[in-house]
Amino acid sequence: MANAFTTKQRATLTSIVDTYVAAVPRDDDPTGFFAAKGSDLGTDAVLEQYLTTKLPAEQFTGLQQLLDTAELVGLNNQPLNVREVIVGNLSRISPETTAAMTALYTLSVLFSYSLPGGENGNPLWAGMGYPGPAQLPPQTPKTLSVITPAADTTLDADVVIVGSGSGGGVAAAVLAEAGKRVIVLEAGGYRNESDFVQLEPVAYHNLFLRGGFFPSADGMVSIAAGSTVGGGSTVNWSNSLLTPATVRKTWAEEFGLTDVTGPSFDEHLAAVFERIGCCDKVAVQNEPHQRLSEGAAALDYSYGIAQLNIDPERFDPALVGYSGMGDQTGAKQGTMKTFLQDASDAGAQLLPNTRAHRIVTRDGVAAGVEATYTDPVTGTAHRVAINSPQVVAAAGSLETPALLLRSGIGGPAVGTGLRLHPATLVSGIYDDRQEPWSGPAMAGVMNEFAEAHDGHGYLIECVQHLPGLFTATVPWLSGAQHKELAKRYQNRADWVVLVKDRGDGSVTIDADGEAVHWYPFTDELDRRHFREGIETSIRMHAAAGAQQIYAAGQPFAPWQRGEDLEAFIEKVNQLPIGPGGTPVFSAHQMSSARMGADPQTSVAKPSGELHDTPGVWIADASAMPTCSGVNPMITVMAVARRTATNML
């Protein structure tokens, strides 16, 4: 039976939405920003649809019980100040209600501040000084060779590649250009710049795994991963960093990848760097980047300009800030525009909207893949069998282990060692407009503490503006207070703290064979770096002149200039990490099917081929023996090129 709310539950959900995104009228409110509440924007209806279609039955039942409790204690038909008290109390009943109310808050704010609104637009955008994205007219035809099954289909190939992202796309080009018959499966759809709609909910639904940010099974981390043709390279922020020498040394000495410290891996790095057009010509330092560099300089920390895989000829600073939701200009040189095009030009074929169920083996060696193609318009499903003596698993670190586990191959280390580069956000509000939507999202990096202790540490970088998601990180003490802070979006500079994690998590599968992700975040060094990164960000914001500073999700008011900064830092440090405290995010997933010399602790040989199944290769971030410690796109591409070369 489909999930559904009762009439009373629906009314209670609306009351919660209108508590979090409240109408708090002001005399001077020309745009209607303060007067607009969530239900005026249709947020309650969108949230209901999301919850009824996305939540598993057990979680939905729990949510219904929470809504019934809220109605029973009198939430509905109360003035705002009373509803705020009730909502606050509900959030503290138990860890489960804390997580549920936090999710309802996040979704209420995300939808309210990210939807375009009606005929007159979204009054919240107008009040924030946010112009919203421009929608360019369709301009670019699709140029990849695509297979569209009309019935159950059996195909033959020399190599079948599962995944079209930074790993699979590169492997496809190398193998196809060497004369192999290559078929690339992609679970997501084939969308290019003419299809991208640069609104958060639409982009999450169309371009991201599981419809956007989703929690790990233990609730500790909120995860985002690309699930579209081109994978993460279609939706990432273009920062192109080379694999650190210390990481390469660890892979060589501890995992047996002896070649990665030598010239052959340098050649792989250089080749991908050149093909995707990495350069610093378009690394425009917008206002948030200038604040980051000023804060670093004031404290004598290192700061470097980033290399970006963005074509200067097509670069548009007014539009590039939206490219994490798909780049409408075509300037971003991800695998869809580069390596997959090379592969297609050499004869490779793409099967989008196709989910691989298992790798087929015969007599212990690779024999192909079984998958299902789903028509994106009609929803009609067709079985697809691909016969192939070589299989490349490149579905990403969240899905490649699940594919191996469903296939019964890979050995005891499958799914272990998952790294996530756990991250969080620290925001500063400045007197002057920062306009975070202008210019590249990530055009510089503060790397003073990249390897602060025991070869591990953290980076601090700027981020793509996301008015829905990032308004959800604003401290919520009351509807009025939240609106006052949200209105200053145009004055915000947001920085992300990214931890090079020593600890790890895991990937398992449930009874239906679906991937389940775990990341307890218990490693003490990683937790230390997480807190140190937040503290460093706070100090840099203060040094750069921020008038207000807050860490994501803090349940108290921001620091105000003139207040005791040390006392504020101590208060932030007392917050728990994870649900109910400082939220943890991940946009980088690695190392869950790693290469190594020992089949007990690694899935693939140093060459990239499985220890236990000849003909099956790993060519994505999951093959990395450890995390990269930097934005991993270039590392993943170089690893994939290395593996594909080994296959030849």
Side-chain angles (χ1 to χ4, degrees):
M1 182 182 296
N3 294 334
F5 290 121
T6 67
T7 300
K8 285 186 176 180
Q9 289 166 350
R10 190 175 294 114
T12 303
L13 185 66
T14 298
S15 293
I16 290 173
V17 168
D18 288 344
T19 303
Y20 286 136
V21 184
V24 285
R26 297 284 192 275
D27 291 336
D28 182 17
D29 186 22
T31 65
F33 175 85
F34 288 104
K37 61 183 185 291
S39 60
D40 294 337
L41 304 164
T43 299
D44 50 344
V46 175
L47 179 55
E48 178 183 355
Q49 181 183 27
Y50 179 90
L51 295 170
T52 53
T53 57
K54 297 292 187 182
L55 282 189
E58 183 178 354
Q59 291 184 21
F60 188 81
T61 299
L63 176 59
Q64 286 180 302
Q65 293 170 351
L66 179 61
L67 295 176
D68 290 342
T69 300
E71 194 270 333
L72 188 63
V73 299
L75 176 68
N76 300 345
N77 303 314
Q78 295 288 351
L80 177 60
N81 62 329
V82 176
R83 283 186 279 124
E84 289 172 346
V85 172
I86 294 173
V87 164
N89 290 336
L90 289 170
S91 299
R92 293 186 288 270
I93 293 174
S94 68
E96 290 75 20
T97 64
T98 297
M101 295 303 292
T102 298
L104 289 176
Y105 162 72
T106 300
L107 292 168
S108 297
V109 173
L110 188 151
F111 290 136
S112 296
Y113 284 85
S114 63
L115 294 170
E119 184 176 336
N120 297 318
N122 188 330
L124 300 179
W125 287 8
M128 295 159 67
Y130 172 53
Q135 188 67 36
L136 298 179
Q139 55 185 326
T140 308
K142 293 184 174 69
T143 54
L144 301 179
S145 177
V146 174
I147 301 171
T148 305
D152 290 352
T153 302
T154 299
L155 303 168
D156 296 306
D158 297 324
V159 184
V160 57
I161 300 174
V162 181
S164 66
S166 296
V170 172
V174 172
L175 296 167
E177 289 177 333
K180 301 294 184 182
R181 294 177 302 155
V182 175
I183 294 177
V184 181
L185 306 187
E186 170 55 55
Y190 180 16
R191 293 178 172 85
N192 71 354
E193 48 263 47
S194 294
D195 302 308
F196 297 140
V197 178
Q198 298 180 321
L199 297 169
E200 287 173 77
V202 177
Y204 293 147
H205 178 73
N206 288 334
L207 306 178
F208 286 78
L209 184 66
R210 302 189 184 183
F213 282 89
F214 65 93
S216 57
D218 45 34
M220 176 56 72
V221 185
S222 186
I223 301 171
S227 183
T228 186
V229 171
S233 73
T234 298
V235 295
N236 70 13
W237 300 340
S238 297
N239 198 350
S240 303
L241 299 175
L242 297 173
T243 315
T246 52
V247 172
R248 294 168 63 175
K249 185 172 184 287
T250 297
W251 291 4
E253 294 180 355
E254 299 183 19
F255 293 90
L257 282 67
T258 54
D259 61 302
V260 299
T261 55
S264 64
F265 198 70
D266 289 335
E267 195 273 328
H268 293 308
L269 289 166
V272 300
F273 219 70
E274 179 181 5
R275 180 62 187 95
I276 65 174
C278 298
C279 67
D280 60 7
K281 296 178 182 177
V282 299
V284 176
Q285 300 294 288
N286 64 6
E287 294 298 324
H289 282 92
Q290 291 186 40
R291 302 296 84 75
L292 180 60
S293 63
E294 290 166 2
L299 299 176
D300 199 26
Y301 297 156
S302 57
Y303 176 81
I305 304 298
Q307 303 272 337
L308 306 177
N309 64 318
I310 295 174
D311 180 0
E313 297 298 318
R314 305 189 72 170
F315 170 69
D316 185 337
L319 295 174
V320 72
Y322 300 88
S323 67
M325 294 178 279
D327 175 25
Q328 287 189 335
T329 70
K332 182 191 290 187
Q333 300 298 290
T335 59
M336 180 170 62
K337 303 282 292 183
T338 57
F339 287 104
L340 284 170
Q341 189 63 59
D342 295 344
S344 184
D345 292 346
Q349 293 181 293
L350 173 70
L351 255 171
N353 305 298
T354 303
R355 184 175 185 271
H357 297 301
R358 73 182 187 99
I359 296 170
V360 178
T361 59
R362 295 191 183 93
D363 299 323
V365 301
V369 169
E370 291 180 353
T372 297
Y373 166 81
T374 302
D375 187 291
V377 177
T378 67
T380 304
H382 300 300
R383 181 187 63 81
V384 178
I386 303 174
N387 299 316
S388 174
Q390 300 278 341
V391 176
V392 176
S397 296
L398 302 177
E399 291 293 332
T400 284
L403 174 63
L404 298 176
L405 289 168
R406 289 194 297 269
S407 307
I409 59 177
V414 172
T416 65
L418 175 68
R419 286 350 193 259
L420 294 183
H421 279 172
T424 198
L425 204 70
V426 179
S427 302
I429 298 179
Y430 292 79
D431 280 339
D432 297 328
R433 287 174 62 93
Q434 300 298 297
E435 298 189 352
W437 51 83
S438 177
M442 189 174 278
V445 56
M446 198 291 286
N447 58 3
E448 180 76 19
F449 304 100
E451 296 177 342
H453 306 102
D454 193 27
H456 293 266
Y458 57 91
L459 304 178
I460 297 175
E461 301 170 312
C462 286
V463 293
Q464 178 185 331
H465 78 91
L466 294 165
L469 181 66
F470 287 173
T471 303
T473 69
V474 172
W476 191 89
L477 304 180
S478 69
Q481 174 267 358
H482 189 271
K483 280 277 183 82
E484 292 284 1
L485 284 173
K487 193 175 191 300
R488 303 201 68 192
Y489 182 70
Q490 61 194 310
N491 294 75
R492 277 178 64 170
D494 299 297
W495 302 338
V496 65
V497 177
L498 187 153
V499 174
K500 179 186 178 183
D501 42 340
R502 180 180 69 177
D504 57 24
S506 62
V507 181
T508 60
I509 55 174
D510 63 17
D512 296 321
E514 297 294 333
V516 181
H517 312 102
W518 307 86
Y519 194 88
F521 202 9
T522 54
D523 186 272
E524 285 305 317
L525 184 61
D526 294 343
R527 293 171 68 87
R528 172 184 174 181
H529 289 147
F530 188 80
R531 293 195 187 281
E532 287 181 357
I534 294 170
E535 178 176 342
T536 300
S537 297
I538 291 171
R539 294 190 186 281
M540 287 200 302
H541 270 305
Q547 297 301 306
Q548 294 175 295
I549 303 171
Y550 54 88
Q554 69 179 49
F556 46 83
W559 173 82
Q560 305 271 352
R561 182 157 294 277
E563 294 179 348
D564 187 331
L565 187 66
E566 300 305 318
F568 174 72
I569 290 171
E570 178 59 28
K571 195 172 183 180
V572 171
N573 278 334
Q574 295 305 311
L575 293 172
I577 295 174
T582 305
V584 185
F585 305 99
S586 170
H588 303 160
Q589 301 88 35
M590 301 152 284
S591 309
S592 55
R594 59 180 174 264
M595 295 181 287
D598 184 355
Q600 293 302 306
T601 59
S602 61
V603 173
K605 304 171 188 176
S607 64
E609 188 175 31
L610 260 59
H611 288 291
D612 67 357
T613 312
V616 178
W617 302 75
I618 311 294
D620 61 13
S622 71
M624 294 161 53
T626 67
C627 71
S628 57
V630 297
N631 304 65
M633 176 176 67
I634 298 299
T635 300
V636 177
M637 289 182 170
V639 165
R641 191 175 188 272
R642 173 184 179 272
T643 294
T645 302
N646 289 338
M647 292 177 68
L648 295 172

